[in-house]
Amino acid sequence: MNIFKLIITSYRNLAVNKLRTGLAVLGIIIGIGSVIALVSLGQASQQAVQSQIQSLGSNLLTVSPGSQTSGGVRGAAGGRTTLTYDDAKAIESSSKITTVKQVSPVYSSRGQVIAGKSNTNTQIYGVTANYASVRQITLASGSFITARDVASNTKVAVLGPTVVDDLFDGNTNIIGQEIRISGQSFKIIGITSSKGGSGMTNQDDMIFVPLSTAQKQLFGVKYLSSIYLEAKSSDVMIRAQNQVGYLLLSRHKISSPASADFTIMSQQDILNTVSQVSGTFTALLSGVAAISLLVGGIGIMNIMLVTVTERTREIGLRKALGAKKKVIIMQFLIESVILTFTGGLIGIIFGVGGFYVYTKIASSTFVISLSSVFLAFAVSTGIGIIFGWYPARKAASLQPIEALRYE
Amino acid sequence: METVALSDISLTIYKGEFVAIMGPSGSGKSTLMHILGALDQPTSGKYILDGETVEKLTEDELADIRNRKIGFVFQAYNLLPRTTALDNVMLPMSYAGVSDQEQKDRALRFLELVGLQDRVHHSSNQLSGGQQQRVAIARALVMDPAILLADEATGNISSAQADEIMGIFQKLNDKGHTIIMITHEPDIAHFAKRIIYIKDGKIGEDILNKEQKKI
Ligand SMILES: Nc1ncnc2c1ncn2[C@@H]1O[C@H](COP(=O)(O)OP(=O)(O)O)[C@@H](O)[C@H]1O
Ligand SMILES: [Mg+2]
C-alpha cells in the first residue's frame, strides 16, 4: 500500500466528520499560532533592545559611583559623590592601564532650559571633547564641545534633536543663537544627529556643555556622575575592567573589591541583564503557548481514539484481508499527522499574521525567523506522531475477528 | 459465562476438495470457518494449515497467509463503508503490492464475473444485500486464493445467480483450488463433493456426495 494512497484514504476518512476534524485542528491552530506569534514578539523586542544598547557605543565601559549592590544599600563612603575628575585623569595617564583607548568623564543633571518663549526640562551633560567619539555621537550640524571649551569654561551648548524640537519647533537653523540654562546664557554651537530610543535610553533628549562649565558654573559640584571608557578592543574588556577597578580601589584606599564605592559595567553586562529579563519573559510566554499546544495534542489523541473505536470493524476487515500491523499504524498516524500538519500550517499563517498586525500597530519591525517557522512545522508533525501513536498502536493490535464482531 | 462454540472437532480437508458445511443456526459453523481462515484461534487444540501450525505464527505472518492463500466471503459481507465496489475489490491487492493498473484490471474482471460490471463505481451503501454479497465474492476471488471460504455466500441472491456463483466455484475447484462453503440450503450443498454436518459444536455426519450437481 503506497503512502500516496494512504494519504488519500486518510483525507477521505477525515472529511466524513468535518466539524469534529475542524475542532480537533482548531486546538493545534491556536497552539502553533500563539507559539509563533509570541516567540516572534519576544525575538523582535530582544533584537530592538540589543541594537539600542549597542548603539550607545562600542567597547564601552561605564564607571558609576556607588557600590555593586545596586538596588540594595549603597556604599557608605560618599554615596554618589565618589568619582572625581582626577580619577578620570589618573585612568588616562596611568602606565598600568594598557587596555583603555579613551576616557570620557561626565557630570549630568536635569536642568531648566529656556529659548525665547519656549522652555523645557532636560538632561544637561557636562562632557569633554572625546565624549562624541566614545559614545558614537555624530553631529547633524555645527561642531561638538572642544578641549579648549573645557579648559576655559566656555558657555557653549550642543543640542539633541528632541530639544531642538521642543525649543525651536524643529527649526535647525539655530547655530549661534542663545539659550538659557538655569538662568545662564549659552551659545548653541551644534546639533547632534538622531539616535532614536525612548525613555531612559533616549539619547536625543539632552544638551551637552563643557564638563568644567557644568561642574563649576551650572551645578557647583566637584564629583562626576560617571566615567565612560572605550577599551582598545572587545577582547580586552574584562582586562580593562580589572585594570581600572584596581587603580580606582587603590586611589580610593579600599582594600577589598567587595566594598568598592564604584561599579564598572560593560555594554555586555547591561545587555546580559536586559536579555535575561526579556528572555525570561519570552520563555514564560512561550511556555504558556506550549501548554496550549500540549492541550491541542491531547485533543488530537482524543479524536484519534474515538476514530479508532468507531472504525473497529473496518480495522478488523482490513486485517482479515491481509493488512499488516505496520500498514494500520501508518494509516492512523498519517491521519493524525494530516490533522496536526494542517493545524500547524493554518496556525503559522495566523501567528505570522497576528505578529504582522502587532508590528503595524506598535510600528516596530516585522521580522520572522525562518527557523521558527520550520520548527513549528516540525513540532506540529511531531505532535501528530506522538499523540497519534497510542491510538494507532491500539488500532493495529486489535484482533481481526473480535474487531469484525464489534457493534 | 463461557460459551462452547465447538468441541472435539477432528477434521482433515485436503487440497482440491469442495466441501459444504451444513447445520442449524448457532451450531458453530461460522466459528469453524473463522478458525479455518486463520482469523480466530481455538482455545485448545491445533490447526495445521498447509503444513504450518497456525498458533505458532506471528500476527503479520497470519495476515500474509490470509492475504495470499485464503479468500473469505463473510456472512455479513463486511464491505468498507462509503467505498466503491471497485475499491472494495482492490483492497486485498493493495496489501499485496500489486501495481495500481493491475489492481484495477483484475478488480474489473472479477466484478464482471459476478455480474456487477454496471455497479463498479457504486458505493457499498448504494448496493442491495445481494449485490454487496457478490462484491464480497469478487473480493474473495481476486487474489486467486488456494483456499476459498464462503459463509452463506448465496443466502441473499436469486437461485439463478446462486447457480452462477456455484458454476464459478466449480470451475475454480476444477483448477485445483480448495473450496469450503457454509450453507443451509441442501440444493446448494449438492454442488460440493463432500458434505459435513455440524450440530451443537460437534461433527455429526461427514459424507461424500456421490451425486455432485454440475453446472
Ligand atoms: N463472540 C462470541 N462470544 C460468545 N459467543 C459467541 C460468539 N460468537 C458466537 N458465539 C456463540 O457460538 C455459537 C456458534 O456460533 P456461530 O459459529 O456463529 O454459529 P453458526 O454460524 O453455525 O450460526 C453460538 O451459540 C453463538 O451464540
Ligand atoms: Mg454463521
Side-chain angles (χ1 to χ4, degrees):
Chain A
M1 195 133 194
N2 63 42
I3 289 281
F4 185 64
K5 260 192 164 171
L6 278 176
I7 291 174
I8 291 176
T9 311
S10 304
Y11 187 78
R12 276 206 210 119
N13 285 328
L14 292 171
V16 172
N17 268 302
K18 291 193 180 64
L19 180 63
R20 192 168 80 185
T21 303
L23 288 173
V25 169
L26 192 60
I28 299 296
I29 294 175
I30 292 170
I32 290 283
S34 47
V35 168
I36 284 281
L38 292 175
V39 167
S40 304
L41 205 73
Q43 281 175 345
S45 65
Q46 204 152 350
Q47 267 173 19
V49 170
Q50 274 179 11
S51 66
Q52 239 178 60
I53 290 176
Q54 260 148 10
S55 76
L56 297 178
S58 63
N59 306 335
L60 185 72
L61 288 173
T62 309
V63 186
S64 326
S67 72
Q68 297 191 337
T69 54
S70 59
V73 183
R74 287 281 172 192
R80 289 213 152 270
T81 63
T82 51
L83 286 181
T84 62
Y85 188 64
D86 289 341
D87 286 333
K89 278 273 163 237
I91 295 169
E92 212 162 22
S93 56
S94 168
S95 60
K96 287 187 191 136
I97 291 181
T98 56
T99 47
V100 173
K101 193 168 148 197
Q102 294 195 81
V103 179
S104 172
V106 170
Y107 178 80
S108 77
S109 181
R110 291 201 81 80
Q112 194 66 24
V113 186
I114 303 169
K117 283 182 185 133
S118 329
N119 73 88
T120 182
N121 189 286
T122 186
Q123 199 74 18
I124 314 293
Y125 268 68
V127 298
T128 52
N130 58 11
Y131 183 88
S133 90
V134 172
R135 299 300 307 267
Q136 297 186 344
I137 284 172
T138 52
L139 289 182
S141 61
S143 57
F144 200 70
I145 313 286
T146 61
R148 202 180 320 145
D149 291 327
V150 177
S152 52
N153 302 353
T154 54
K155 289 188 177 170
V156 292
V158 176
L159 273 51
T162 306
V163 179
V164 176
D165 279 347
D166 289 346
L167 293 179
F168 299 98
D169 269 342
N171 173 16
T172 55
N173 199 7
I174 52 172
I175 307 292
Q177 293 192 26
E178 300 269 313
I179 54 169
R180 298 184 79 78
I181 304 174
S182 301
Q184 301 181 44
S185 179
F186 281 72
K187 191 171 127 196
I188 300 171
I189 57 165
I191 299 171
T192 64
S193 311
S194 174
K195 286 193 103 173
S198 59
M200 297 230 311
T201 58
N202 187 349
Q203 297 182 84
D204 295 341
D205 188 11
M206 43 182 68
I207 292 178
F208 301 101
V209 297
L211 174 63
S212 50
T213 314
Q215 282 187 316
K216 288 169 197 158
Q217 258 101 327
L218 281 177
F219 302 108
V221 296
K222 292 212 162 74
Y223 55 88
L224 298 174
S225 31
S226 47
I227 303 173
Y228 293 107
L229 306 172
E230 188 186 340
K232 282 186 176 151
S233 77
S234 58
D235 302 329
V236 299
M237 298 292 279
I238 298 195
R239 274 179 61 207
Q241 229 164 334
N242 285 334
Q243 287 179 349
V244 173
Y246 282 109
L247 180 79
L248 289 179
L249 282 176
S250 80
R251 280 183 57 81
H252 296 184
K253 301 188 169 54
I254 295 165
S255 53
S256 144
S259 47
D261 57 2
F262 58 89
T263 309
I264 308 178
M265 291 246 279
S266 66
Q267 291 304 93
Q268 197 54 47
D269 295 333
I270 299 169
L271 246 178
N272 287 349
T273 313
V274 175
S275 304
Q276 214 174 4
V277 171
S278 73
T280 309
F281 196 60
T282 307
L284 208 76
L285 286 177
S286 309
V288 172
I291 288 172
S292 76
L293 197 55
L294 182 74
V295 173
I298 293 170
I300 294 291
M301 175 142 47
N302 189 26
I303 278 308
M304 290 311 295
L305 283 173
V306 170
T307 304
V308 168
T309 308
E310 273 182 357
R311 280 158 55 194
T312 299
R313 278 177 71 91
E314 176 201 319
I315 296 161
L317 176 68
R318 287 179 182 277
K319 294 191 82 174
L321 295 181
K324 294 189 176 148
K325 277 188 147 182
K326 214 176 77 186
V327 175
I328 302 287
I329 288 181
M330 277 302 275
Q331 188 182 341
F332 283 91
L333 275 189
I334 285 174
E335 272 186 39
S336 72
V337 169
I338 287 178
L339 286 178
T340 57
F341 190 82
T342 313
L345 190 72
I346 301 172
I348 288 168
I349 293 168
F350 274 110
V352 171
F355 178 57
Y356 179 76
V357 169
Y358 166 82
T359 56
K360 280 288 148 205
I361 292 170
S363 60
S364 63
T365 46
F366 175 75
V367 189
I368 291 283
S369 68
L370 214 58
S371 62
S372 67
V373 170
F374 279 124
L375 194 69
F377 272 122
V379 166
S380 55
T381 308
I383 282 177
I385 292 172
I386 292 166
F387 289 95
W389 183 253
Y390 175 69
R393 277 299 303 260
K394 204 180 151 188
S397 55
L398 286 172
Q399 292 301 314
I401 200 67
E402 301 289 333
L404 276 174
R405 280 202 197 104
Y406 183 84
E407 288 302 330
Chain B
M1 205 189 75
E2 203 157 277
T3 313
V4 177
L6 292 171
S7 69
D8 287 333
I9 300 282
S10 177
L11 176 65
T12 308
I13 295 172
Y14 294 96
K15 191 173 184 322
E17 281 201 85
F18 189 168
V19 183
I21 296 174
M22 297 195 72
S25 180
S27 55
K29 305 182 297 291
S30 292
T31 307
L32 177 62
M33 202 65 132
H34 292 149
I35 290 174
L36 294 178
L39 279 167
D40 206 350
Q41 295 189 3
T43 37
S44 67
K46 204 155 83 171
Y47 169 44
I48 299 170
L49 171 64
D50 200 9
E52 290 192 274
T53 307
V54 166
E55 295 85 49
K56 288 186 182 152
L57 298 175
T58 66
E59 256 189 82
D60 280 356
E61 284 167 338
L62 287 174
D64 207 44
I65 286 174
R66 289 194 294 266
N67 185 240
R68 289 168 197 280
K69 288 191 184 168
I70 296 169
F72 212 116
V73 186
F74 296 95
Q75 190 169 8
Y77 332 132
N78 287 328
L79 300 186
L80 277 187
R82 303 178 302 275
T83 307
T84 62
L86 182 67
D87 282 338
N88 263 293
V89 177
M90 280 161 61
L91 194 59
M93 291 185 282
S94 74
Y95 295 128
V98 176
S99 78
D100 283 7
Q101 193 52 51
E102 203 191 330
Q103 281 186 29
K104 206 168 170 188
D105 292 348
R106 257 155 78 175
L108 286 171
R109 207 167 66 231
F110 280 92
L111 281 168
E112 200 181 324
L113 188 72
V114 296
L116 284 178
Q117 57 277 12
D118 52 350
R119 291 288 185 278
V120 168
H121 295 295
H122 282 57
S123 156
S124 47
N125 36 314
Q126 297 168 333
L127 298 172
S128 73
Q131 287 168 334
Q132 289 188 44
Q133 198 156 39
R134 282 185 282 156
V135 174
I137 292 169
R139 187 179 63 190
L141 295 174
V142 79
M143 284 294 288
D144 196 22
I147 306 167
L148 180 72
L149 303 172
D151 194 347
E152 314 230 5
T154 52
N156 278 302
I157 49 184
S158 71
S159 61
Q161 280 170 340
D163 284 358
E164 255 175 64
I165 300 288
M166 284 306 114
I168 296 168
F169 283 15
Q170 279 190 340
K171 234 189 267 169
L172 227 73
N173 183 237
D174 290 344
K175 285 197 282 175
H177 295 245
T178 309
I179 295 176
I180 305 165
M181 62 180 189
I182 291 174
T183 181
H184 48 241
E185 295 167 68
D187 270 4
I188 297 291
H190 277 97
F191 284 101
K193 293 175 184 165
R194 176 182 173 187
I195 304 175
I196 297 172
Y197 292 91
I198 291 199
K199 205 176 171 225
D200 296 333
K202 293 188 168 66
I203 293 178
E205 269 183 291
D206 186 347
I207 56 167
L208 282 179
N209 180 22
K210 296 211 177 72
E211 54 239 53
Q212 187 192 18
K213 240 187 346 181
K214 282 276 184 184
I215 292 286

